[in-house]
Amino acid sequence: MQITYKKILIEKINYYIVLLLAFWLPLYKPAIPYIIAALLVSWILEGGFKQKFSNVKWNKNLIIFILFYLIHLIGLLYSKNFNSGLFDVQLKLSLIIFPVFFVTSNNLIRNNWKKILISFIIGCLISSLICLSNAFYKSIFIHNNSIIFEPVINGYNNFCFILMSIFHNPTYYSMYLVFSIIIIISYFINKKIRPEKKYQYFLIFVFCVLIIMIYLSSSRAGIINAFIVLFSSLIIYLIRYKNYLKSILLFICIVLFANYSIINNSRLKFLPNKIVNNTNIIINEIKSKPDKDINIAIVDSINNANFPNIKISNKKKDVRLLIWDVSVNLIKNNFFTGVGTGDVKDELILMYQNYEVGLAEKNDLNCHNQYLETFVRLGVIGFILLLLILILPFIRAIKEKNYINLFFLIIISIHFIFESMLNTLAGVVFFSFFYSLLILLPQQNKLK
């Protein structure tokens, strides 16, 4: 009886840690490794490894996912910069931890996986409200006994891009928000799991907050993903329910939102007009900011605005496009094996010097494209494994008409184009956690 009680207690602790991780992911990033460590400890204390692994269904998705991590270990063996490679495989540990954890998870987690998704939505809502509150707090001043609202300070808008998204890089944060929207929409598309009226109103409120935050985050990848999800969801809704009046109204709302976002894209208006006439301020900002994401964001804005007085090497191209050119040339020279797990940065810096991409060299920028990053690092085999990780469950999601899995893979695939997601904690944990939960976890009654 005591052993049974202890086992049940540990299973509950295991489950609550998973809920905490899903909730905390959009919030304070430095705490994530400690929560993962606690999850690993609770999994070990749960015991029963023989039974756990005997029940594992070794499907193609699981095997390919594990092989993808193992090939990083192999790439470490022929890396010149062993320390950099060791750091990379440690950063990517979640690629092996979460698949193993979820395929061997207890019934409490398997039966309540939808609550894990809800926990993530609540985390996104709270983080969004905190971001909005912070922006309002920084924009309100008291002068001569009068309250002044001034969101633009020193040329930067507190409700825009990096200053708005205080927990994560806007690209990653917008990805979290879009995924939360996918989960919310899935509850309305599927009649079987549609919540009660009072919960529907709450989800609609959350949906509106998240849409606003996606716009304010000004991430191009996030906005593109949001449009794809909204238009596709509208088509699915129309096909399933044939409610033409409601579909037309929703279509008009989406078009208006799309039009407003394109015309007023804050990435294209990241700097106000007074900064345009004072290019020295922009250059000083680039030099003074140690954050690589801030640097490339500022330069992207400069390139997009096409300011004639700013001279940056290779300004004729977007910085990302220059980095991609460099990456493609590295791939050509190391097609089969890649440069190795630990040598990507060193090889990129050498190429940046040859191509005179000064900003990329100074800030040690990665490929800013996961497909290219993997190809450069691991060669054609690593690239093929990455594609299979995305393509195989994508085909299955289409066959099963699994809405949530389908659009999860779509937003991941799109963000992989804009960022080397698996090089960052925010990216690799999000990807491996929800990929394992949605695709690798044995579960019933999936959201469709």
Side-chain angles (χ1 to χ4, degrees):
M1 181 68 70
Q2 187 176 2
I3 296 175
T4 304
Y5 174 77
K6 181 180 178 182
K7 182 181 178 182
I8 293 173
L9 178 62
I10 295 176
E11 286 183 354
K12 286 184 177 180
I13 292 173
N14 219 335
Y15 169 62
Y16 288 129
I17 294 175
V18 174
L19 288 177
L20 177 63
L21 180 57
F23 169 80
W24 206 259
L25 190 56
L27 290 159
Y28 189 59
K29 185 168 58 177
I32 298 300
Y34 299 101
I35 300 176
I36 294 175
L39 184 67
L40 191 59
V41 170
S42 68
W43 179 79
I44 293 172
L45 291 175
E46 194 178 34
F49 300 110
K50 185 176 180 180
Q51 183 180 356
K52 282 180 178 180
F53 286 99
S54 63
N55 295 330
V56 172
K57 295 181 180 179
W58 293 95
N59 56 57
K60 293 179 182 178
N61 294 324
L62 176 59
I63 294 171
I64 292 171
F65 208 87
I66 293 175
L67 285 176
F68 183 65
Y69 181 77
L70 292 179
I71 200 172
H72 282 82
L73 296 177
I74 295 172
L76 185 61
L77 298 178
Y78 55 89
S79 296
K80 297 175 184 176
N81 192 336
F82 184 83
N83 290 333
S84 177
L86 186 61
F87 175 80
D88 185 75
V89 295
Q90 289 174 344
L91 178 68
K92 291 181 171 65
L93 269 174
S94 59
L95 291 176
I96 198 74
I97 290 175
F98 289 126
V100 172
F101 172 81
F102 279 110
V103 298
T104 61
S105 59
N106 57 61
N107 290 329
L108 189 60
I109 292 173
R110 297 187 185 191
N111 296 332
N112 293 280
W113 65 277
K114 295 175 189 174
K115 292 182 180 179
I116 298 172
L117 296 178
I118 294 296
S119 181
F120 178 73
I121 292 175
I122 294 172
C124 285
L125 173 63
I126 292 176
S127 65
S128 296
L129 295 176
I130 293 174
C131 287
L132 287 168
S133 300
N134 177 72
F136 274 107
Y137 174 77
K138 289 185 175 180
S139 302
I140 295 175
F141 303 92
I142 298 177
H143 182 69
N144 294 332
N145 296 323
S146 298
I147 298 176
I148 301 173
F149 180 73
E150 181 54 62
V152 180
I153 303 172
N154 296 327
Y156 294 98
N157 193 333
N158 289 322
F159 289 86
C160 174
F161 201 48
I162 294 170
L163 295 182
M164 183 64 187
S165 179
I166 60 177
F167 294 111
H168 292 278
N169 175 285
T171 301
Y172 294 99
Y173 189 56
S174 65
M175 177 177 61
Y176 294 176
L177 302 180
V178 173
F179 181 57
S180 291
I181 285 174
I182 291 171
I183 300 169
I184 292 172
I185 292 175
S186 67
Y187 277 95
F188 286 94
I189 287 179
N190 193 337
K191 282 184 177 180
K192 295 179 181 178
I193 57 170
R194 187 173 294 177
E196 298 176 15
K197 279 286 183 182
K198 57 181 179 181
Y199 296 115
Q200 287 184 30
Y201 292 132
F202 172 72
L203 289 177
I204 291 171
F205 165 74
V206 177
F207 177 88
C208 293
V209 172
L210 299 184
I211 284 290
I212 292 170
M213 283 299 299
I214 290 171
Y215 170 75
L216 295 177
S217 71
S218 303
S219 166
R220 286 172 290 188
I223 291 173
I224 290 170
N225 268 327
F227 292 153
I228 291 173
V229 168
L230 292 175
F231 278 116
S232 302
S233 302
L234 181 59
I235 293 171
I236 294 172
Y237 177 82
L238 181 60
I239 292 173
R240 286 194 177 186
Y241 301 112
K242 303 189 185 305
N243 191 326
Y244 297 103
L245 178 60
K246 188 177 290 187
S247 298
I248 291 171
L249 291 174
L250 291 172
F251 177 77
I252 292 172
C253 291
I254 294 171
V255 170
L256 290 174
F257 174 69
N259 182 64
Y260 185 81
S261 298
I262 293 170
I263 293 174
N264 299 280
N265 190 329
S266 53
R267 286 295 297 279
L268 302 179
K269 297 186 177 183
F270 183 67
L271 304 174
N273 291 331
K274 62 182 179 179
I275 297 295
V276 175
N277 298 321
N278 190 356
T279 58
N280 289 329
I281 294 179
I282 303 174
I283 299 299
N284 289 335
E285 284 294 330
I286 294 174
K287 292 179 179 179
S288 64
K289 299 287 185 180
D291 191 298
K292 300 173 188 177
D293 293 321
I294 295 177
N295 283 340
I296 198 166
I298 295 173
V299 173
D300 276 352
S301 300
I302 292 171
N303 286 326
N304 289 331
N306 195 24
F307 299 153
N309 297 323
I310 300 177
K311 295 182 180 180
I312 298 177
S313 64
N314 285 309
K315 182 185 172 295
K316 62 183 179 180
K317 281 189 176 182
D318 186 281
V319 174
R320 289 179 190 268
L321 296 179
L322 288 167
I323 294 173
W324 292 351
D325 284 346
V326 168
S327 302
V328 169
N329 278 279
L330 265 178
I331 289 170
K332 290 177 181 178
N333 298 330
N334 305 273
F335 184 81
F336 292 102
T337 62
V339 300
T341 303
D343 296 342
V344 177
K345 288 186 178 180
D346 297 336
E347 294 293 334
L348 281 173
I349 289 175
L350 290 175
M351 295 292 283
Y352 292 152
Q353 293 172 353
N354 293 334
Y355 278 70
E356 297 183 351
V357 189
L359 181 69
E361 179 190 351
K362 178 182 177 182
N363 292 284
D364 195 17
L365 298 179
N366 57 38
C367 295
H368 278 269
N369 180 301
Q370 189 58 55
Y371 304 106
L372 293 176
E373 183 84 28
T374 299
F375 214 139
V376 169
R377 188 182 301 273
L378 303 172
V380 65
I381 297 176
F383 177 69
I384 291 173
L385 287 175
L386 179 63
L387 291 182
L388 290 175
I389 284 173
L390 299 173
I391 292 172
L392 290 181
F394 183 82
I395 294 172
R396 182 179 176 184
I398 292 175
K399 290 180 179 178
E400 296 179 348
K401 297 180 180 179
N402 190 319
Y403 170 88
I404 193 168
N405 286 15
L406 179 65
F407 283 96
F408 169 75
L409 292 166
I410 288 174
I411 66 169
I412 289 295
S413 300
I414 291 175
H415 273 81
F416 274 6
I417 296 173
F418 292 92
E419 293 290 338
S420 297
M421 269 183 56
L422 304 185
N423 283 13
T424 64
L425 183 70
V428 72
V429 171
F430 173 82
F431 172 66
S432 56
F433 180 84
F434 285 108
Y435 188 98
S436 302
L437 177 68
L438 296 173
I439 296 166
L440 302 181
L441 176 70
Q443 51 192 289
Q444 302 293 327
N445 302 318
K446 295 183 178 180
L447 300 179
K448 297 183 180 181

